[in-house]
Amino acid sequence: DTGVSQNPRHKITKRGQNVTFRCDPISEHNRLYWYRQTLGQGPEFLTYFQNEAQLEKSRLLSDRFSAERPKGSFSTLEIQRTEQGDSAMYLCASSLASQTRADTQYFGPGTRLTVL
Amino acid sequence: AQKITQTQPGMFVQEKEAVTLDCTYDTSDQSYGLFWYKQPSSGEMIFLIYQGSYDEQNATEGRYSLNFQKARKSANLVISASQLGDSAMYFCAMRERSGGSYIPTFGRGTSLIVHP
């Protein structure tokens, strides 16, 4: 399978615990995005990387959230001291940025987080 | 103000008929991109079609076409010959420049149900 993969697919945790999600993009894609999606809403942008550089972070991304893409390949999203309001689907997408292409993003299946 | 507005929370269509899903957007940029994604109940976001702001012709991809009216800032998705498998959530999204980066924004989505 050469699409975007995310692990784990589901995560249940207790309030106050830390969680980490992983995203493996399509291999030749240089951009990687993280989104959060709650029920009845569209995806909300959190952050994105071009290669290993984190270029943009949403104001939604509080200090408890951190993302890395250490070698410009896979990425991790960590949430520290989880809160019930963090319960959501976390989506990862990747794209190939160039001057002539649409920078179309291809999404992974998501990680569903439930904070008890 | 909403950057992407999808005014139809739900739409119903008879199998084999055409349906139009509305999307209006708000931007002051001259260079931007518009996308439509499909999200079935399985949760994965599937790219359908892209329209660049400088594209003079409406984009088409198989049964999908994008009715782009730049002056009205609308980018409606037309699905021809609806199939039962088209039942899903549909999201309109815009990619616009923010500083040196491109930030994507999604609408709240339209739920499409195709009746046999």
Side-chain angles (χ1 to χ4, degrees), chain A residues 33 35 37 40-43 45 48 55-56 102-105 107-108, chain B residues 35 37 39 44-45 47 50 91 95 98 101-104 106-108:
Chain A
Y33 299 77
Y35 294 86
Q37 185 179 24
Q41 303 291 327
F45 169 78
Y48 94 96
L55 295 188
E56 196 76 31
D103 193 23
T104 299
Q105 295 178 40
F107 282 78
Chain B
F35 301 79
Y37 285 86
Q39 188 175 41
E44 189 161 348
M45 299 282 285
F47 167 72
Y50 166 81
F91 291 96
R95 177 180 56 86
S98 172
S101 305
Y102 284 97
I103 301 302
F106 283 75
R108 296 186 64 170

Side-chain angles (χ1 to χ4, degrees), chain B residues 9-22:
Chain B
M11 289 285 285
F12 297 87
V13 66
Q14 198 79 21
E15 191 179 9
K16 299 181 184 178
E17 293 186 349
V19 63
T20 298
L21 306 184
D22 294 342

Side-chain angles (χ1 to χ4, degrees), chain B residues 4-69:
Chain B
I4 296 287
T5 302
Q6 295 181 252
T7 58
Q8 308 152 314
M11 289 285 285
F12 297 87
V13 66
Q14 198 79 21
E15 191 179 9
K16 299 181 184 178
E17 293 186 349
V19 63
T20 298
L21 306 184
D22 294 342
C23 173
T24 57
Y25 59 92
D26 181 26
T27 182
S28 56
D29 281 355
Q30 297 301 309
S31 177
Y32 53 90
L34 297 156
F35 301 79
W36 277 91
Y37 285 86
K38 171 184 178 181
Q39 188 175 41
S41 56
S42 59
E44 189 161 348
M45 299 282 285
I46 302 167
F47 167 72
L48 296 178
I49 196 167
Y50 166 81
Q51 179 86 41
S53 57
Y54 292 119
D55 296 340
E56 294 185 352
Q57 291 196 338
N58 287 341
T60 59
E61 290 284 349
R63 294 186 299 109
Y64 304 108
S65 61
L66 201 152
N67 184 1
F68 182 46
Q69 297 186 43

Side-chain angles (χ1 to χ4, degrees), chain A residues 29-43:
Chain A
H29 284 186
N30 52 2
R31 283 188 178 167
L32 187 148
Y33 299 77
W34 284 100
Y35 294 86
R36 180 173 66 191
Q37 185 179 24
T38 53
L39 199 61
Q41 303 291 327

